[in-house]
Amino acid sequence: MKRIYLDYAATTPTDQRVLKAMEPYWNEKFGNPSSIHSYGQETKEAVESARNHVAALISAAPSEIVFTSGGTEADNTAIKSTGFTLREKGNHIITTAIEHHAVLHACQFMESQGFDVTYLPAETSGFVNISDVQRAIKEETILISIMHANNEVGTIQPIAEIGALAKERSILFHTDAVQTCGHMKIDVNQANIDLLSLSAHKFYGPKGVGALYIREGTPFIPFMDGGAQELGRRSSTHNVPGIVGLGKAAEIAMEEMAPEHQRIRTLRDRLLEGIQRNIDKVYLNGHPEKRLDNNVHLSIENVEGEALLINLDMEGIAGSSGSACSSGSMEPSHVMTALGIPPELARGSLRLTLGRFSTEDEIDRTVDALTRVVQHLRSLSPF
Ligand code: PLP
């Protein structure tokens, strides 16, 4: 059975072109980029070339890019470094209740350190209201951290408006762009973003590498002490193969983002229409228009998300549950809860996310398989 991968929001396969670019940096070109000799010089050049590509992807200057171990580190660094650096100025941080745990838990940590955090609600569509952001601002507000697009329901936030507001009030603005970077055009200057998190494995690069954009002049104390790499902003020897992979993924994204966007959107709409045509009592979560091109997040009445996933997997289809099931309890996720999705619908939720290697044939087979699975599960349901 040919398997179908529809969980691109969890991670993407590394593009063959990225793999090829990384290959020499495992052993042939292994120098430490901080070394003076020619081994070091050749890897330093590769790291700097990657930095140029990542910077170009978000219209930043190369010196504003700091390589990290991924999105989680970038988020933690943005929040904790900014918070502690600006402690004298104020102790208030604004975020939303639907952020990724990398932001939410970092904010909870900041609360334990005496910071005051406002967790803004979102509309049922997942959209954060700019007037709520405005109202939450206080004299002591030092940072607004609001994600670009939600990783579960795919809703895209009005980051340019939030950035403009933050700038007007002289507050730093961080956005977690892990789900959008490499998929959507982002201009950190146009959107007045001071700090931005991105992660290679969400756009066909390797896992365990990402970057934090830090606008020139942003007050910043490093999160880790050590050898003062990355101009003293992130110590530790560079993950050269990973960084080269991130750079290549960024280069490919720059070239292919526009045509890919249209193709994936067309496939996404085909998937949604097919499902809605064949299955009744199915609801789209997230914003109908302001959403990621590749995201279909559904609540399906009278089915359990976990059973849905297992049955789909048996049909060879990999999707994701809209509920956090790591604890085995299938409790609705914090996002579903914050959006006010009733628990019985949240429990029957399914996220299907498409990507570069999705095909029309896969979409049609998924519609057929999901239809069969839902019919089967409903036939067993007591409701
Ligand atoms: N932020 C968002 C919105 C994400 O979707 C993820 C990954 O799922 C992360 C942060 C964490 O990124 P990483 O896996 O690179 O640490």
Side-chain angles (χ1 to χ4, degrees):
M1 177 173 47
K2 204 162 164 275
R3 293 191 298 167
I4 299 173
Y5 185 74
L6 289 177
D7 200 11
Y8 280 81
T11 196
T12 59
T14 308
D15 192 299
Q16 289 295 336
R17 293 166 290 182
V18 170
L19 273 182
K20 194 155 170 273
M22 291 169 68
E23 209 172 83
Y25 295 93
W26 294 109
N27 62 0
E28 186 194 323
K29 300 181 179 183
F30 64 88
N32 184 328
S34 302
S35 301
I36 299 289
H37 49 61
S38 57
Y39 289 87
Q41 290 312 302
E42 72 185 352
T43 49
K44 182 172 167 53
E45 237 171 69
V47 166
E48 294 316 313
S49 161
R51 197 187 307 281
N52 289 338
H53 287 302
V54 174
L57 189 60
I58 56 171
S59 301
S63 60
E64 295 173 315
I65 301 297
V66 175
F67 292 115
T68 66
S69 62
T72 301
E73 184 189 325
D75 283 341
N76 272 269
T77 306
I79 291 161
K80 295 176 184 176
S81 291
T82 309
F84 290 118
T85 308
L86 296 179
R87 187 74 182 85
E88 294 303 306
K89 188 170 174 232
N91 73 338
H92 182 230
I93 297 170
I94 298 171
T95 189
T96 78
I98 59 166
E99 298 296 310
H100 189 272
H101 281 146
V103 166
L104 276 184
H105 291 170
C107 284
Q108 283 159 13
F109 169 79
M110 295 305 277
E111 285 184 285
S112 76
Q113 301 300 304
F115 284 80
D116 171 22
V117 181
T118 299
Y119 299 91
L120 295 176
E123 294 172 359
T124 308
S125 67
F127 199 65
V128 174
N129 231 305
I130 187 78
S131 52
D132 285 341
V133 183
Q134 200 150 18
R135 265 196 302 274
I137 295 175
K138 310 183 198 181
E139 190 80 353
E140 301 79 27
T141 309
I142 49 171
L143 175 70
I144 298 173
S145 178
I146 296 183
M147 69 200 320
H148 191 189
N150 184 263
N151 47 300
E152 288 189 31
V153 295
T155 302
I156 298 169
Q157 305 302 347
I159 54 163
E161 284 178 54
I162 300 168
L165 175 63
K167 186 174 180 200
E168 188 191 306
R169 303 294 296 267
S170 304
I171 299 165
L172 291 180
F173 174 41
H174 165 246
T175 191
D176 174 340
V178 168
Q179 288 292 336
T180 51
C181 198
H183 300 283
M184 284 176 66
K185 197 169 161 10
I186 300 174
D187 183 327
V188 287
N189 296 312
Q190 249 171 30
N192 289 301
I193 296 164
D194 298 301
L195 300 131
L196 176 146
S197 307
L198 62 93
S199 179
H201 76 103
K202 303 290 186 179
F203 60 105
Y204 313 101
K207 292 167 186 57
V209 60
L212 176 63
Y213 157 78
I214 309 174
R215 178 177 291 284
E216 170 92 58
T218 303
F220 185 84
I221 295 173
F223 182 37
M224 292 194 295
D225 296 309
Q229 286 87 348
E230 294 293 274
L231 301 175
R233 294 167 299 182
R234 201 274 187 174
S235 291
S236 183
T237 301
H238 292 91
N239 167 9
V240 179
I243 290 170
V244 168
L246 167 59
K248 188 67 188 175
E251 186 187 348
I252 296 170
M254 280 289 277
E255 285 162 14
E256 300 187 359
M257 200 171 349
E260 198 162 81
H261 150 91
Q262 207 35 59
R263 195 187 75 86
I264 292 175
R265 204 188 177 103
T266 306
L267 286 181
R268 193 265 321 261
D269 292 346
R270 187 181 179 95
L271 176 64
L272 183 59
E273 279 159 23
I275 293 171
Q276 286 175 330
R277 195 172 45 243
N278 284 6
I279 305 172
D280 64 347
K281 297 184 184 153
V282 47
Y283 312 100
L284 180 70
N285 294 314
H287 199 283
E289 286 107 38
K290 292 173 197 143
R291 69 184 301 122
L292 291 169
D293 290 327
N294 73 334
N295 175 296
V296 172
H297 191 291
L298 305 165
S299 283
I300 307 176
E301 247 182 64
N302 299 341
V303 294
E304 285 290 329
E306 196 176 30
L308 204 53
L309 279 187
I310 294 168
N311 278 265
L312 277 178
D313 194 42
M314 288 190 312
E315 296 263 0
I317 296 163
S320 159
S321 163
S323 303
C325 54
S326 53
S327 62
S329 64
M330 284 310 285
E331 281 308 307
S333 73
H334 69 279
V335 175
M336 295 277 96
T337 305
L339 300 187
I341 312 280
E344 62 282 9
L345 276 183
R347 264 187 238 113
S349 62
L350 172 71
R351 183 187 71 182
L352 298 171
T353 44
L354 294 70
R356 185 170 288 167
F357 307 107
S358 302
T359 64
E360 205 172 271
D361 175 57
E362 287 183 344
I363 295 309
D364 294 344
R365 283 168 49 208
T366 301
V367 172
D368 290 346
L370 184 61
T371 307
R372 267 196 309 280
V373 166
V374 171
Q375 269 170 3
H376 169 65
L377 292 175
R378 282 183 177 163
S379 74
L380 304 176
S381 163
F383 306 106

